[in-house]
Amino acid sequence: MREQILEVDDVSKTFQVKAGDVTAVDRVSFTADAGEVTTIVGPSGSGKTTLLYVIGSLEKPDSGTIEVAGHNILAPSADLIDYRRESVGFVFQFFNLIPTLTALENVMLPMDILGTSPEEQRTRATGLLERMGIDGRLLKARPNKMSGGENQRVAIARALANDPDVILADEPTGNLDTATGQTVIAILSALAKENGKCILMVTHDESILNVSDRAFHMTDGRLSEITVRQTRPGDGARLGG
Amino acid sequence: MRSFHRGFRSFHRNYTRNLILVVLLFVCLTFSMSMLAVKLAADSQVETIKATVGNYGEIKVSSEYQMEQFEAEREKSQAERQAEARSMTEAQTFVNRVENLVPEELTDEFSQDEYIKTYDKVLESMVTVPGITNTSLQQMFSMRQGDEGPGSGGLGGTSNANMFSFNGNTNGASASDFSTGAKKLVSGAFFTYEDYQEANPVVLIEKNLAAENELKVGDTIEAQISGASGADSTIELKIVGIYETVEAEGQSQEGGTGGQAFNPAGSSFYAPTSVVQKLNATPGYLSLGSYYFDSVDDTAALKATFKAETKGTDGKYTFATDLSDYQSIADPVIKARNTSMIGLAGALGACALIILLAMFIIVGGRTRELGILKAIGSTNRQVIGQFAVEVLCICLVAIILAMGVTALIGQSMGNWLLPDTGASTSQQTQQSGPGGPGVMRAMSGEGLYKQGSRFNFGAQTQQQEAAKLNVVYRGTLFLYGVLILIGISLVGMAIPVLWITRLRPARVLSME
């Protein structure tokens, strides 16, 4: 039996704009398990990213509860800084690597913020980049010297730096060509299967549904589960270590 | 500590952008530090000038009053004057004698003012010394007699070739000529304050005069009491010291063989004021009260006190200070200081503006980075710390360079800011020019007792030296540099602090 790691219950988020209130997330409830890839698909502006940011504590919901590994992150006593550091890892469409840092330094950064010793940072970051298939010669390369696929793999390594329970991926293939996108999806899928991570992806690319264990469709802030016919995990997604 | 490392690393990594900012700040900071160095040098110079000039004043009969007396006397006919002299009582004679002197009571009262540091009572009088001839006067008489022809009457009945100038002070060493180095004691000792208090009949004599008359320390001379006759009409004065005239000798050497246009050597004796008062028959009266006070800044307060104390004297007495000398010497330096302060304020303002604008652009350009840092768990404090280190590094590099360059160009900036005072200096020097003993000029309203001797021969050099700015690197400049560094860094931090605390990572990370 799979362990339920994420539970979102009746979460709503409304933005106030000039034209009036816009409900980006409307009473959304779902769960996600460790070792599974959960995908939320939907058109642009449907509220997918907002939901992801609410789960990642980058946005505060108006109502509802979110439990990650049994902890209510919206409780007044919750330490959201620690939560962001240790429990979740983000993968963004535009990679969001720090341009002045090398691939290795970008992966070391979350560990540095957490207070990990420099030696351990280096060892773990090198290992993660190796698992992501980043050539050793690229360790000292800056993001502008790497391809989109390489950047996204560095971003995934960074998301894994502090060994979080949940990886939140926002359109991880949105800025990549099809082949590279498939490789990235395969990596994320392998992370779920081999490392027991809970992968929550939001995308408008419905082809990703093929590798998902669970899938939801989001329209106008509302979530509805859809049945997926899972194919085997993506080619070339075998992770080392 | 980790934020420090990240900040330092970020400063190092963004070298192109930071270099531009460092250069901009360096230019402004160099100007600021140079202006500051000039200001500090000017402050120091003003204090030096204050210690030398501007803190001297004297109470004397005003030149306006003297002029009035002179005009009134001139309007009288010869017959009127003779009749007046014949009918004068002893009391009237005394009043006439002290007409141009200052009551000791007044000078004593003024000396009680809290600002007064030193006080001297000065009285100069022409006194007859029967046994000694004043060669200067003798030569003058011969010249006049030659000009006027035989039987013309010379200089009048009251002058003779045995008359000498007697300078009275409360203490020999405090006499202006000795305190300024114009004259120097070569043997014996100065008369003391005790000599003044007890009216001991002692005197200082000039070296050449002593040699010509075979006088030495311990010998006595006899001096005539003015207007007295009979057995008690003289006072026997004991020679306690012999002096030489330094400046006159110096001038003679500089001028070569033809030098020595006027040498007061030999015509002056120095004695306690109380003794000179006896010889002049004017007890309780002085030529002037001479004062040194704390600073030129006290002048206004002292003038107010003097005005209150001399109320009802109808402007007969004046409290003359060397304020105008102070102003003429210090004004260029003060102007340079004021200009430097304006320059400093402007340059610091420019520094603040540069760092604010630069940080606005830099932080604006790194918004995504800030969002990422917050998204992966950095606290506001960590991110601010990182930026603080970056800003501090930028400012530190700029100010170190600026301090270095300031050491090189500070003096040039000082010279550039200092107004050219060459013309006014030489003009003033010509006005003060070489002259006789200070008290004579002071009494005649030409200048101050102190000024007469102090600004005689070395005046031009002194004023030129005073009007120079010695812009040197001093500890205070370094401290101010550190303060400026902190200040500029804090200003520079304002934008990142506001930006970081208000930043919502979700908004930033959603942007393409």
Side-chain angles (χ1 to χ4, degrees):
Chain A
M1 188 181 167
R2 292 201 166 167
E3 183 194 354
Q4 183 183 299
I5 202 91
L6 173 67
E7 184 179 352
V8 177
D9 185 26
D10 205 22
V11 168
S12 294
K13 175 70 184 174
T14 301
F15 292 107
Q16 291 175 331
V17 291
K18 280 182 185 172
D21 289 355
V22 174
T23 304
V25 179
D26 190 7
R27 302 183 68 185
V28 167
S29 298
F30 74 96
T31 59
D33 296 340
E36 278 189 357
V37 175
T38 304
T39 307
I40 299 170
V41 291
S44 294
S46 59
K48 308 183 299 288
T49 300
T50 303
L51 177 62
L52 202 72
Y53 286 169
V54 166
I55 295 167
S57 83
L58 300 181
E59 289 280 12
K60 196 177 175 186
D62 301 326
S63 62
T65 58
I66 299 169
E67 281 192 14
V68 176
H71 299 291
N72 181 4
I73 66 161
L74 301 178
S77 59
D79 187 340
L80 293 180
I81 295 292
D82 272 355
Y83 170 70
R84 278 185 222 163
R85 285 175 181 176
E86 295 179 79
S87 301
V88 290
F90 280 100
V91 178
F92 302 96
Q93 180 181 353
F94 298 103
F95 325 129
N96 282 335
L97 296 173
I98 292 176
T100 53
L101 301 183
T102 62
L104 185 66
E105 287 166 341
N106 265 295
V107 180
M108 287 164 69
L109 186 61
M111 293 185 264
D112 193 47
I113 290 168
L114 189 64
T116 311
S117 71
E119 296 75 26
E120 197 181 337
Q121 283 177 36
R122 186 168 290 276
T123 310
R124 283 187 59 192
T126 310
L128 283 167
L129 286 167
E130 200 177 304
R131 282 178 66 191
M132 294 300 132
I134 296 292
D135 194 300
R137 286 173 300 180
L138 290 176
L139 293 185
K140 290 189 175 176
R142 295 198 184 179
N144 62 347
K145 299 290 179 194
M146 293 188 291
S147 68
E150 286 163 342
N151 273 325
Q152 196 60 300
R153 279 185 279 165
V154 172
I156 295 169
R158 184 182 65 185
L160 289 167
N162 288 330
D163 196 22
D165 298 315
V166 179
I167 302 287
L168 303 172
D170 182 13
E171 303 275 12
T173 59
N175 211 26
L176 303 173
D177 59 65
T178 310
T180 313
Q182 280 179 352
T183 307
V184 167
I185 293 300
I187 289 170
L188 290 170
S189 178
L191 278 171
K193 305 298 178 228
E194 294 175 20
N195 295 77
K197 302 291 176 196
C198 172
I199 310 289
L200 178 62
M201 277 193 283
V202 299
T203 180
H204 60 265
D205 179 5
E206 297 198 358
S207 68
I208 291 174
L209 294 175
N210 294 338
V211 296
S212 303
D213 297 296
R214 294 181 71 192
F216 296 90
H217 192 270
M218 196 164 191
T219 314
D220 297 333
R222 288 182 171 273
L223 204 63
S224 54
E225 187 160 8
I226 52 175
T227 309
V228 290
R229 191 168 57 83
Q230 197 176 27
T231 58
R232 61 181 195 75
D235 294 332
R238 182 166 294 131
L239 296 175
Chain B
M1 200 61 193
R2 285 168 192 275
S3 294
F4 177 84
H5 281 132
R6 278 200 295 274
F8 187 72
R9 206 164 47 197
S10 185
F11 166 73
H12 178 67
R13 295 278 163 82
N14 297 294
Y15 58 87
T16 311
R17 182 203 69 199
N18 289 340
L19 186 68
I20 295 167
L21 183 51
V22 163
V23 168
L24 287 172
L25 277 179
F26 158 72
V27 172
C28 283
L29 283 172
T30 301
F31 192 72
S32 305
M33 295 301 289
S34 304
M35 292 293 111
L36 185 61
V38 172
K39 188 217 172 280
L40 292 175
D43 281 344
S44 167
Q45 187 71 353
V46 167
E47 287 309 311
T48 307
I49 294 168
K50 275 184 183 177
T52 319
V53 67
N55 61 342
Y56 175 78
E58 57 194 32
I59 293 176
K60 59 185 181 181
V61 175
S62 70
S63 52
E64 290 81 7
Y65 180 81
Q66 285 177 321
M67 192 53 74
E68 277 173 25
Q69 295 298 307
F70 175 74
E71 289 295 333
E73 200 63 31
R74 203 174 62 166
E75 278 170 17
K76 291 176 187 168
S77 66
Q78 181 79 8
E80 279 175 328
R81 275 199 289 270
Q82 282 173 352
E84 210 172 66
R86 277 196 299 272
S87 63
M88 232 178 235
T89 63
E90 202 171 316
Q92 282 172 324
T93 308
F94 182 75
V95 169
N96 211 30
R97 189 184 288 278
V98 298
E99 188 64 46
N100 289 314
L101 296 179
V102 183
E104 215 169 332
E105 267 177 13
L106 174 65
T107 61
D108 282 346
E109 193 183 341
F110 190 73
S111 72
Q112 301 303 310
D113 193 283
E114 58 177 321
Y115 296 118
I116 301 296
K117 279 167 70 180
T118 65
Y119 166 42
D120 198 6
K121 302 177 186 189
V122 181
L123 176 63
E124 181 166 298
S125 173
M126 294 304 287
V127 173
T128 302
V129 183
I132 303 175
T133 302
N134 186 338
T135 48
S136 302
L137 278 180
Q138 195 176 38
Q139 282 170 14
M140 202 162 22
F141 289 157
S142 334
M143 283 165 64
R144 290 279 174 99
Q145 277 169 351
D147 288 345
E148 292 168 11
S152 60
L155 285 174
T158 56
S159 302
N160 60 67
N162 301 111
M163 289 192 91
F164 290 88
S165 165
F166 266 64
N167 298 305
N169 292 88
T170 53
N171 182 329
S174 73
S176 168
D177 289 339
F178 293 107
S179 63
T180 58
K183 291 177 180 177
K184 191 176 77 176
L185 193 74
V186 288
S187 67
F190 285 115
F191 56 86
T192 62
Y193 187 65
E194 256 181 30
D195 291 325
Y196 156 73
Q197 282 181 310
E198 292 167 16
N200 291 333
V202 291
V203 73
L204 302 177
I205 187 170
E206 206 273 337
K207 187 173 76 175
N208 295 329
L209 186 64
E212 279 169 21
N213 294 280
E214 295 176 349
L215 292 168
K216 57 184 184 306
V217 173
D219 291 347
T220 56
I221 56 168
E222 207 165 292
Q224 178 83 44
I225 296 172
S226 181
S229 57
D232 296 328
S233 64
T234 60
I235 297 177
E236 199 170 70
L237 301 171
K238 184 182 174 186
I239 296 169
V240 290
I242 295 174
Y243 70 88
E244 68 179 7
T245 309
V246 177
E247 284 181 348
E249 284 177 3
Q251 192 196 37
S252 177
Q253 283 161 9
E254 281 167 21
T257 50
Q260 215 151 326
F262 174 77
N263 188 350
S267 63
S268 294
F269 285 87
Y270 292 85
T273 304
S274 48
V275 174
V276 181
Q277 280 175 328
K278 274 188 187 175
L279 290 169
N280 197 39
T282 53
Y285 284 86
L286 303 167
S287 302
L288 52 93
S290 152
Y291 306 90
Y292 276 98
F293 40 93
D294 287 328
S295 156
V296 68
D297 304 330
D298 307 329
T299 306
L302 284 166
K303 288 217 168 192
T305 305
F306 175 77
K307 199 175 173 185
E309 285 175 4
T310 53
K311 204 175 177 184
T313 56
D314 218 15
K316 179 177 178 180
Y317 307 108
T318 183
F319 178 58
T321 67
D322 56 350
L323 179 66
S324 58
D325 287 318
Y326 166 79
Q327 284 167 338
S328 67
I329 297 170
D331 262 7
V333 182
I334 291 170
K335 276 180 190 159
R337 181 178 67 181
N338 294 343
T339 311
S340 70
M341 281 173 75
I342 293 167
L344 174 65
L348 284 179
C351 282
L353 201 65
I354 285 172
I355 193 96
L356 274 173
L357 283 173
M359 290 317 293
F360 189 79
I361 294 166
I362 288 170
V363 173
R366 289 170 67 182
T367 306
R368 185 174 285 272
E369 182 183 332
L370 297 175
I372 297 164
L373 286 169
K374 288 181 92 167
I376 61 176
S378 282
T379 58
N380 280 341
R381 205 161 58 177
Q382 282 176 319
V383 184
I384 289 168
Q386 177 182 329
F387 270 84
V389 172
E390 277 194 66
V391 173
L392 197 67
C393 286
I394 291 167
C395 296
L396 187 66
V397 172
I399 206 150
I400 287 171
L401 291 173
M403 279 181 167
V405 174
T406 298
L408 298 174
I409 66 164
Q411 186 61 56
S412 307
M413 290 293 254
N415 296 341
W416 177 58
L417 288 180
L418 198 66
D420 184 16
T421 55
S424 61
T425 304
S426 61
Q427 194 184 358
Q428 284 156 10
T429 309
Q430 280 173 6
Q431 282 169 0
S432 63
V439 73
M440 295 294 279
R441 298 180 63 243
M443 285 171 68
S444 65
E446 280 181 58
L448 298 175
Y449 169 62
K450 166 208 174 193
Q451 202 178 18
S453 49
R454 181 165 288 198
F455 289 105
N456 254 345
F457 305 112
Q460 188 166 7
T461 320
Q462 276 184 328
Q463 292 196 4
Q464 281 171 347
E465 280 306 309
K468 275 182 187 170
L469 273 179
N470 190 17
V471 185
V472 291
Y473 226 81
R474 43 191 101 214
T476 333
L477 185 66
F478 180 76
L479 283 177
Y480 277 117
V482 173
L483 281 178
I484 289 173
L485 169 68
I486 294 168
I488 295 285
S489 302
L490 286 174
V491 170
M493 275 308 296
I495 297 285
V497 166
L498 284 173
W499 203 289
I500 289 162
T501 50
R502 293 164 66 96
L503 183 119
R504 291 175 63 188
R507 293 290 163 86
V508 176
L509 298 173
S510 303
M511 294 188 298
E512 284 188 22

